[in-house]
Amino acid sequence: MLPHTLLYGTFGRDSLMKQAAIIGSGPNGLSAAITLARAGIEVCVYEARDTIGGAASTAEITLPGFRHDLGSSIYPMAIASPFFRSLPLSEFGLQWIEPPSPLSHPFDDGSAVLLEHDLAATAVGLGLNSKLDGAAYTRVVLPLVEEWGDLCQEILGPVLHWPQHPLLLAKFGAFAAPPATMLAKSLFSGPRARALFAGLAAHSVLPLESMFSSAVGLVLGAAAHATGWPIAAGGAQSISDALAAYLKSLGGLIETSHSIDSLAELSEFDAILCDVSPKQLLRLGVRDFDPSYNLALRSYTYGPGAFKVDWALSQPIPWKAAECSRAATVHLGGTLEEIAASERAPWHSKVAENPFVLVTQPSLFDPSRAPQGKHTAWGYCHVPNGFTGDLTQAIESQVERFAPGFRDCILASKITTPAAFEAWNANLVGGDLSGGAMTMKQLLFRPTSSQYRTPRKDLYLCSASTPPGGGVHGMCGHHAAQSALHDLA
């Protein structure tokens, strides 16, 4: 991780150049800063913590030498991001590692289905129950893979934009709009294909009976075949450090351990971009907004939280299905019905008896994550926002279900509750890792007045609470900075 002292500095307030302040050093805040700095704007990023990165951070939280990603670990949308792809991040230390398979999904009989890089190989695996399932998967996903670059430009853009590829969006929308349970049952007859798609769609953090819950599943499936599901060598922190180093090369500045408590502290800047959630924006500027906008910020809805367990392990997880060791991501949920029940429960203030657990095991492919011969892994499940219970046993039981002997491998563990997530990163309100509930209303009506703008003319929101939403891709920050540049011109 870059020492923050290398990034600290100040620029003269008598400069004739336009100056912008960024609140928050997560991927969106850093992306906003880079976009502005590339356009000749003097930029300073303010980070309340003593380290940068927000949810893209890595630290030793169990035992010495075991490096754990504190938020995210797998980056299909980072490597696909049009903005990230425009940056020379490899020159600043970012190296992607692609596991042999993007995803594995085990079953109780000791078998597993793999989401492979090769679409045809994935179709063969899905067709073990019904050859029609592999054909159906190919029919739906192949067009998205073939036009992946154009699709990313559309779905990672602002909600309100003139489509450059309307026919592609129409093809995508025809399958993205239905609920995931409906689409899975209409496309597939076998349990393998249905379960694989349910696990992918669960990343939407929506009930799988909700409209547009299929969209995320389709995107993640296509991403596996088009650009992959990589991990960052050295951990998530490598992404943040590379963004920060590139920003520094452009003359941008970062001040860590500098909390901004009021927008009045930044009154000398020409533009302020906030990589914060609506809850934090309200705290920063309640006196700057009219009552209607304050009400909109207060009314913003946060989705289910996450309950996470990090493990330091004496050996790799002993999966019954050996194929699971080919992937850095493993979905533990059995059938579509089981996954759907688990994802429905948090929306009714409940927790499923057998929660759908997402497991990552990056040390299988990146030996820098743990001492020689040892390993790291983590698992999390969705819970009601602000959940105060302890699901450690439930999560570990799900791993043990598909990997007997797993508990014997645990050297140490660390749980992160929804409250702990929010205490660590104020944007993760109630443990919500997505920046807000991805309901239809909030997809269309974000807490901005127009294209990342707020009622205050020099203030912009650039967090995951703006389009295109959660995930490490930097597009929220990039688009917000483009709006600011338009206004500063």
Side-chain angles (χ1 to χ4, degrees):
M1 182 176 62
L2 286 171
H4 71 267
T5 52
L6 294 180
L7 303 174
Y8 183 89
T10 57
F11 47 71
R13 289 291 186 256
D14 58 350
S15 171
L16 296 179
M17 296 175 64
K18 297 287 187 179
Q19 299 174 342
I22 315 293
I23 302 176
S25 69
N28 281 314
L30 293 173
S31 295
I34 288 170
T35 301
L36 294 170
R38 290 170 101 182
I41 305 296
E42 289 190 337
V43 176
C44 187
V45 178
Y46 295 96
E47 169 57 48
R49 296 179 58 82
D50 60 1
T51 56
I52 63 168
S57 301
T58 308
E60 296 181 1
I61 58 173
T62 55
L63 295 173
F66 290 82
R67 291 179 56 76
H68 302 270
D69 291 330
L70 305 183
S72 55
S73 284
I74 311 298
Y75 297 107
M77 301 319 295
I79 197 169
S81 165
F83 178 63
F84 281 2
R85 292 171 78 87
S86 75
L87 307 179
L89 297 181
S90 62
E91 298 175 19
F92 294 88
L94 179 59
Q95 177 186 352
W96 295 117
I97 298 174
E98 187 63 48
S101 299
L103 169 69
S104 63
H105 186 121
F107 299 98
D108 289 309
D109 64 2
S111 69
V113 63
L114 292 175
L115 182 64
E116 302 274 22
H117 296 295
D118 182 68
L119 192 152
T122 302
V124 169
L126 295 177
L128 293 180
N129 293 122
S130 169
K131 292 184 178 179
L132 294 177
D133 285 355
Y137 180 83
T138 302
R139 184 177 73 254
V140 173
V141 176
L142 181 58
L144 307 182
V145 176
E146 290 177 335
E147 300 184 75
W148 178 244
D150 292 338
L151 180 64
C152 285
Q153 288 284 354
E154 297 288 2
I155 63 175
L156 293 179
V159 171
L160 301 176
H161 74 279
W162 189 260
Q164 298 299 306
H165 307 90
L167 293 180
L168 173 60
L169 274 184
K171 286 190 291 185
F172 173 67
F175 292 104
T181 49
M182 179 185 297
L183 184 64
K185 291 177 181 178
S186 64
L187 285 178
F188 308 122
S189 59
R192 294 168 67 85
R194 289 182 174 182
L196 179 70
F197 186 72
L200 292 170
H203 286 259
S204 68
V205 203
L206 288 171
L208 300 192
E209 300 83 7
S210 297
M211 294 292 290
F212 287 97
S213 56
S214 294
V216 170
L218 292 171
V219 169
L220 291 178
H225 309 306
T227 43
W229 285 27
I231 61 176
Q237 191 70 51
S238 300
I239 302 173
S240 301
D241 287 349
L243 289 168
Y246 180 49
L247 174 62
K248 181 175 180 288
S249 76
L250 298 172
L253 306 171
I254 300 176
E255 294 192 8
T256 56
S257 302
H258 189 149
S259 176
I260 301 298
D261 299 315
S262 170
L263 296 176
E265 299 173 43
L266 305 175
S267 60
E268 297 180 20
F269 287 90
D270 299 292
I272 304 170
L273 286 81
C274 300
D275 184 8
V276 303
S277 80
K279 180 179 179 180
Q280 281 69 55
L281 185 62
L282 181 66
R283 178 182 63 81
L284 288 168
V286 64
R287 294 183 178 86
D288 296 78
F289 309 134
D290 60 38
S292 63
Y293 190 64
N294 284 336
L295 178 60
L297 295 177
R298 288 192 183 95
S299 302
Y300 189 74
T301 302
Y302 294 92
F307 189 101
K308 177 171 176 273
V309 187
D310 284 276
W311 300 288
L313 302 173
S314 62
Q315 65 177 61
I317 297 174
W319 302 108
K320 282 193 292 185
E323 305 97 301
C324 290
S325 296
R326 290 174 48 84
T329 306
V330 187
H331 284 171
L332 305 182
T335 65
L336 176 151
E337 290 76 17
E338 203 175 329
I339 297 169
S342 178
E343 296 308 292
R344 185 187 314 121
W347 292 88
H348 299 282
S349 301
K350 298 178 181 179
V351 175
E353 182 177 349
N354 297 308
F356 172 66
V357 176
L358 188 153
V359 170
T360 70
Q361 45 186 7
S363 61
L364 290 180
F365 314 100
D366 181 5
S368 73
R369 305 294 186 97
Q372 185 174 4
K374 304 298 191 294
H375 287 273
T376 62
W378 60 254
Y380 85 85
C381 66
H382 296 138
V383 295
N385 192 277
F387 176 75
T388 58
D390 187 347
L391 287 186
T392 305
Q393 292 300 317
I395 289 174
E396 292 184 350
S397 292
Q398 281 289 69
V399 183
E400 188 83 18
R401 170 184 170 186
F402 299 101
F406 164 70
R407 286 193 174 97
D408 296 334
C409 305
I410 299 173
L411 298 173
S413 64
K414 171 70 182 299
I415 68 168
T416 307
T417 65
F421 270 120
E422 185 172 355
W424 166 60
N425 184 334
N427 281 355
L428 309 181
V429 178
D432 180 353
L433 304 182
S434 301
M438 292 181 63
T439 61
M440 175 61 67
K441 177 182 177 181
Q442 290 195 168
L443 283 173
L444 296 176
F445 302 103
R446 294 287 185 161
T448 53
S449 58
S450 172
Q451 298 293 71
Y452 309 91
R453 298 174 176 89
T454 72
R456 178 171 155 168
K457 66 178 183 178
D458 62 343
L459 183 69
Y460 305 81
L461 190 61
C462 67
S463 68
S465 300
T466 64
V472 176
H473 43 64
M475 297 302 291
C476 307
H478 174 60
H479 292 314
Q482 287 184 314
S483 291
L485 286 173
H486 178 273
D487 297 342
L488 289 171

